[in-house]
Amino acid sequence: MRIRRTSRLLVPAVAALAALSLTACENGTGTEDEGASAPASSVTAQPRGTDKPTTGSDTGTGTGTGTGTSTGSGSGSAAKPAGGTSAKPGAGTVTEDKDPNAPENRVLCNGSNMKVTAQPVPRPLNHMLITVTNTGSKVCDLTYYPVLRFDEMQWAPAAAEATKPQAVTTLSPGESGYAGVLLSAADGSGDGGTTAKKLTVAFQGRTPNSDGGASATPPLPAGGVYYDSSLTVTYWQQSMDDALAW
């Protein structure tokens, strides 16, 4: 009989515990915890919302103004003085340093820029002196030797190679150059002698026997000059003495 009473007492106790468990679930204890955390979340959101508009406004205004001003002024100011300053001095320097005596700045001496004369001389015997004077505004070169032609002669006198100078004879404006001419043999060994009334002096270019430009026709003495097959000319010389030394 005691055993039965114990069972009857336990059954009501177990039922009571089960009822308590169901009541706890229906009361929603977990839901109450979530409800407690919700106010914390809303409190945090309010300061963030307040910070964003304030920061965005300050940053946008400061950055836009500073960048626009410094970039525009810097680029425009540096470019203009640099370009104008380098171009002008360069052009002036080239003009000032131009050397009139440099080979590339010289011209050929010829009948267009020279005064030419031809006169027989008493010594050496049977010689004539050709004088040319630079009447131009530039330095000119007398290349090789004059090419002579008396009247309508069909041949040109040879040049005495012993008179070839070491450098080209160069004349500044107003300066003179010279060439000597052996008209005839002093011992009479020459043949085909004749008297000429006209002389043409031709000038050579930068290469032998090339055309150096306009020729000249200096006047001869009224009685003309006598020449024969011994006719020979010297190279152009810087001095009269060198031209007549041969």
Side-chain angles (χ1 to χ4, degrees):
M1 293 298 293
R2 289 181 180 176
I3 295 173
R4 291 180 179 177
R5 288 180 179 178
T6 302
S7 300
R8 290 177 180 178
L9 291 174
L10 289 174
V11 169
V14 171
L17 288 175
L20 287 174
S21 298
L22 290 173
T23 303
C25 292
E26 290 175 358
N27 288 341
T29 304
T31 306
E32 288 180 359
D33 292 340
E34 291 176 358
S37 61
S41 174
S42 61
V43 171
T44 304
Q46 287 177 357
R48 287 181 184 176
T50 304
D51 291 342
K52 286 182 180 179
T54 303
T55 305
S57 175
D58 293 343
T59 304
T61 303
T63 304
T65 304
T67 303
T69 303
S70 60
T71 303
S73 302
S75 300
S77 302
K80 291 182 180 178
T85 305
S86 60
K88 291 181 180 178
T93 304
V94 173
T95 303
E96 293 172 1
D97 293 343
K98 187 176 181 180
D99 181 7
N101 293 311
E104 63 272 16
N105 297 326
R106 300 200 300 257
V107 298
L108 289 171
C109 300
N110 56 42
S112 67
N113 55 16
M114 306 290 289
K115 177 184 177 181
V116 184
T117 62
Q119 292 292 330
V121 294
R123 292 188 181 280
L125 190 64
N126 300 337
H127 275 67
M128 182 174 70
L129 179 68
I130 297 177
T131 304
V132 293
T133 303
N134 185 354
T135 58
S137 60
K138 295 183 178 182
V139 176
C140 70
D141 292 332
L142 278 170
T143 54
Y144 307 105
Y145 53 88
V147 179
L148 306 182
R149 182 184 183 188
F150 286 104
D151 292 333
E152 302 302 323
M153 64 188 300
Q154 301 300 311
W155 57 280
E161 288 298 322
T163 64
K164 186 176 182 179
Q166 294 182 350
V168 175
T169 299
T170 301
L171 305 179
S172 296
E175 286 188 331
S176 297
Y178 310 89
V181 182
L182 172 63
L183 294 170
S184 59
D187 57 4
S189 59
D191 54 19
T194 185
T195 299
K197 300 293 184 177
K198 178 183 177 182
L199 172 63
T200 300
V201 180
F203 299 84
Q204 299 188 56
R206 300 292 181 186
T207 57
N209 302 315
S210 62
D211 185 7
S215 58
T217 55
L220 294 176
V225 295
Y226 177 84
Y227 71 93
D228 63 19
S229 59
S230 301
L231 185 63
T232 310
V233 67
T234 69
Y235 279 76
W236 291 111
Q237 305 294 325
Q238 205 77 47
S239 71
M240 182 187 302
D241 292 340
D242 289 341
L244 296 176
W246 175 79

